[in-house]
Amino acid sequence: MGVKQAIKSLDAFPRAEEHLLQKTRSGALVSVIGLGIMATLFLHELTYYLHTYTVHQMSVDLTRGQTLPIHINVTFPSLACDVLSVDAIDMSGKHEVDLDTNIWKLRLNSHGQIIGTEYLSDLVEKEHSHNHDDKDHNHDPEQKLHSHGFDEDAENLIKKVKQALTDGEGCRVYGVLDVQRVAGNFHISVHGLNIMVAQMIFEGAKHVNVSHIIHDLSFGPKYPGIHNPLDGTARILHESSGIFKYYIKIVPTEYRYISKEVLPTNQFSVTEYFSPMNDFDRSWPAVYFLYDLSPITVTIKEEKHSFLHFITRLCAVLGGTFAVTGMLDRWMFRIMEAVTKPSARSMR
């Protein structure tokens, strides 16, 4: 019996007899409110436990010998597809003009609706015969073309592009460029055209409207929470044209899922600069994307809260709520008792 009594003396939650307990309406109200609060906090903690969070780590980038994928999706509402080309050059000296690898064009009408599709290798960089120094100025367009020494393909191109510009055609360029993993740039322009052909089409560099809308520009697959700062960027020119330059700093990134799957990709920051054309410029309007790579790689890891952490937080919030509602019940009972006792005495 002594052992049993000793064990009972350790009970931190002694029970009172049923007839000694007093139930009140205020206690019932506080209990209902407390249960509602505890249920809400429980659901909040459960949601917090089930969701993953990310941890960022930085280290020196040791990647070598890989290519850099560049995903582009850009609309030029004032330039026809026949005159646009994508050129790329990097620090290693590799220069590619009029790229045709995994790049497509969509012909758009004046309302932005698709009216045709072309592979970018069909972009014309037409050869023409050397220019004849003919001083005869003829007002007939066909005679004027022949006077510049253009072959039939160049003449047809000029007519086609002029008609497209008159109809308000635009072009969307999209696809993937695989470039070497070194600093470089790529640009979208009319540089694929022969200078004389471009002059005949636009009658001067200031009339090449390189207004553009960047729907998507990324340097690898997307991971949860990534933000590409150029997505949705619109630059519309209403007067003189010019050269747009986007200076991009690429940060190599690894995203590690909770399932241990690793997704290699890149995120980036950007600043931009616009240089308007003047009458003395010898260059032609273009949109340049100049990129450089950071020597630091960022690793983003998905992690989950431990079950012990969940239990600890749950005990804290539920226990705290139970304690607060208990104190509130006692205070309300004493206040009600203090109010009712004087009134009962005055009735006597």
Side-chain angles (χ1 to χ4, degrees):
M1 294 296 293
V3 176
K4 290 183 179 180
Q5 290 297 329
I7 293 175
K8 285 183 179 182
S9 66
L10 298 176
D11 187 3
F13 307 99
R15 301 284 189 293
E17 296 291 339
E18 186 69 27
H19 66 278
L20 297 177
L21 300 176
Q22 184 179 358
K23 296 184 178 182
T24 61
R25 293 181 179 178
S26 61
L29 178 62
V30 171
S31 299
V32 171
I33 295 174
L35 287 174
I37 294 173
M38 285 191 284
T40 303
L41 292 175
F42 172 78
L43 292 175
H44 177 270
E45 291 299 323
L46 182 62
T47 304
Y48 179 75
Y49 167 69
L50 294 177
H51 277 69
T52 59
Y53 65 97
T54 55
V55 176
H56 292 67
Q57 298 175 341
M58 291 186 293
S59 60
V60 177
D61 183 24
L62 301 177
T63 305
R64 293 190 301 175
Q66 296 184 5
T67 58
L68 179 67
I70 305 175
H71 301 260
I72 60 173
N73 188 349
V74 184
T75 293
F76 290 83
S78 302
L79 287 177
C81 287
D82 291 289
V83 300
L84 284 175
S85 66
V86 181
D87 309 330
I89 186 171
D90 58 42
M91 293 291 290
S92 67
K94 186 178 181 182
H95 187 193
E96 297 183 70
V97 180
D98 201 8
L99 288 170
D100 58 1
T101 304
N102 300 323
I103 299 295
W104 292 82
K105 297 180 303 175
L106 295 177
R107 292 177 57 209
L108 307 175
N109 61 18
S110 57
H111 303 290
Q113 299 171 336
I114 299 172
I115 57 176
T117 306
E118 284 182 337
Y119 197 53
L120 200 55
S121 58
D122 296 330
L123 287 176
V124 60
E125 185 182 355
K126 300 296 183 183
E127 296 294 333
H128 70 288
S129 58
H130 61 278
N131 186 20
H132 299 286
D133 296 327
D134 190 349
K135 298 182 180 179
D136 182 23
H137 297 279
N138 196 318
H139 293 285
D140 184 1
E142 292 189 7
Q143 293 296 326
K144 187 176 180 180
L145 292 175
H146 285 296
S147 70
H148 284 82
F150 297 122
D151 59 21
E152 185 178 353
D153 290 338
E155 294 173 8
N156 293 334
L157 172 67
I158 294 172
K159 294 178 184 177
K160 181 181 177 182
V161 173
K162 283 191 171 183
Q163 184 61 46
L165 295 176
T166 302
D167 296 338
E169 275 194 29
C171 185
R172 175 178 290 189
V173 180
Y174 72 98
V176 181
L177 300 176
D178 287 314
V179 298
Q180 297 187 68
R181 202 177 180 83
V182 293
N185 78 78
F186 69 95
H187 55 275
I188 306 174
S189 64
V190 298
H191 294 168
L193 290 175
N194 179 278
I195 186 67
M196 294 300 297
V197 173
Q199 189 69 33
M200 287 295 298
I201 293 174
F202 297 103
E203 299 178 356
K206 294 181 68 174
H207 300 115
V208 181
N209 191 338
V210 289
S211 297
H212 58 280
I213 303 169
I214 303 175
H215 305 285
D216 176 52
L217 179 70
S218 56
F219 295 85
K222 296 181 179 181
Y223 60 84
I226 190 174
H227 172 67
N228 293 323
L230 284 179
D231 289 2
T233 298
R235 297 292 180 265
I236 306 300
L237 298 174
H238 300 287
E239 296 180 359
S240 178
S241 189
I243 298 175
F244 289 91
K245 291 185 178 181
Y246 295 96
Y247 296 92
I248 298 171
K249 193 70 172 182
I250 301 173
V251 181
T253 304
E254 277 190 354
Y255 192 88
R256 298 179 180 270
Y257 291 92
I258 195 73
S259 61
K260 306 302 181 183
E261 179 186 354
V262 178
L263 178 68
T265 184
N266 301 278
Q267 51 186 325
F268 67 93
S269 62
V270 63
T271 56
E272 61 177 286
Y273 173 75
F274 174 70
S275 175
M277 302 292 296
N278 58 53
D279 296 328
F280 305 101
D281 282 332
R282 300 178 64 88
S283 58
W284 287 76
V287 179
Y288 285 84
F289 299 90
L290 302 97
Y291 57 88
D292 193 8
L293 284 91
S294 169
I296 302 298
T297 184
V298 175
T299 301
I300 305 174
K301 297 198 306 185
E302 286 185 346
E303 293 191 358
K304 197 173 182 180
H305 297 284
S306 67
F307 183 72
L308 183 60
H309 185 260
F310 167 67
I311 293 297
T312 303
R313 289 176 58 96
L314 193 62
C315 291
V317 296
L318 297 184
T321 305
F322 185 80
V324 170
T325 53
M327 288 189 297
L328 183 61
D329 176 54
R330 286 194 295 273
W331 292 341
M332 290 184 65
F333 178 76
R334 289 175 181 174
I335 292 172
M336 294 295 294
E337 191 178 44
V339 170
T340 55
K341 277 187 178 181
S343 60
R345 289 174 182 174
S346 62
M347 289 179 63
R348 291 179 182 177

